[in-house]
């Protein structure tokens, strides 16, 4: 008979490790879930990808809610694409794929990306919904249609990331964001 790993079995297994209960915080919670999803007490991640979605925020541009100007979003996006940002270096050192997605940076990123040697291991996607959001202090940041479009960009990026894995049950998709004022 095949054993089914449920949360109770995963909890008991993790409780037997040399650590105080709950010492690993959210990581321990994720480990339990991974045991259940993969139905094993020795889960594995054989394919990882980090998706970073970037957009500018109208409130940051108009209300000065950040110590940094919104132009920093463009700069960090380009640095990610070139493989020089912290997330780029960490992903590469761990063998994790990195994809950066412009969902709403204020301005055209294509010319900026042409001036920089992009890292061939970083995938860059330009799926702009709008040139930034509106200032939510003055009204809705996005229309319902823009929100739906942005969510669909994210869903499709995750679907494509999982499709690249030989076995989606041993894949992990990590989601990040970039935008001054988040």
């Amino acid at each position: 008979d095949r054993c089914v790993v449920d949360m109770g079995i995963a909890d008991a297994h993790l409780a037997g490790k040399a650590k105080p209960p709950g010492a690993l915080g959210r990581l321990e919670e994720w480990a339990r879930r991974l045991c259940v999803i993969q139905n094993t007490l020795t889960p594995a991640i054989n394919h990882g990808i980090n998706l970073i979605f970037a957009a500018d925020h109208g409130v940051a541009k108009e209300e000065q809610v950040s110590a940094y100007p919104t132009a920093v979003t463009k700069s960090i996006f380009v640095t990610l694409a070139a493989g020089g940002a912290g997330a780029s270096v960490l992903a590469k050192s761990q063998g994790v794929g990195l994809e950066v997605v412009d969902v709403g940076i204020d301005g055209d990123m294509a010319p900026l990306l042409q001036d920089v040697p992009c890292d061939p291991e970083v995938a860059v996607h330009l799926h702009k919904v709008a040139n930034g959001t509106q200032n939510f202090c003055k009204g809705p940041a996005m229309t319902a249609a823009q929100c739906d479009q942005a969510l669909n960009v994210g869903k499709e990026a995750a679907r494509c990331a999982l499709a690249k894995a030989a076995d989606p049950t041993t894949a992990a998709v990590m989601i990040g964001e970039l935008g001054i004022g988040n």
Side-chain angles (χ1 to χ4, degrees), residues 171-182:
V173 177
M174 297 150 283
I175 308 295
E177 52 76 29
L178 165 62
I180 300 303
N182 288 347

Side-chain angles (χ1 to χ4, degrees), residues 75-157:
S75 176
I76 296 173
F77 188 87
V78 169
T79 305
L80 281 163
S88 310
V89 173
L90 285 171
K92 187 179 281 189
S93 73
Q94 297 302 308
V96 171
L98 177 62
E99 298 189 19
V100 292
V101 184
D102 173 6
V103 183
I105 297 174
D106 190 9
D108 185 5
M109 292 304 298
L112 292 174
L113 292 166
Q114 289 175 356
D115 294 339
V116 174
C118 289
D119 185 326
E121 294 182 33
V122 178
V124 177
H125 306 284
L126 304 177
H127 297 298
K128 192 179 302 293
V129 171
N131 284 311
T133 63
Q134 299 301 306
N135 181 347
F136 65 69
C137 291
K138 297 178 180 176
M142 304 171 81
T143 66
Q146 288 172 326
C147 182
D148 287 342
Q149 187 179 353
L151 289 170
N152 285 330
V153 167
K155 288 177 192 175
E156 183 62 13

Side-chain angles (χ1 to χ4, degrees), residues 2-48:
R2 187 173 169 196
C3 178
V4 173
V5 176
D6 62 17
M7 284 296 204
I9 292 170
D11 278 336
H13 176 71
L14 291 169
K17 302 294 179 191
K19 59 164 188 53
L24 300 177
R26 300 265 328 253
L27 184 59
E28 202 163 323
E29 176 186 331
W30 294 339
R32 275 194 302 273
R33 289 181 183 181
L34 197 55
C35 287
V36 173
I37 290 167
Q38 294 184 2
N39 197 37
T40 180
L41 296 176
T42 56
I45 299 295
N46 295 319
H47 178 81

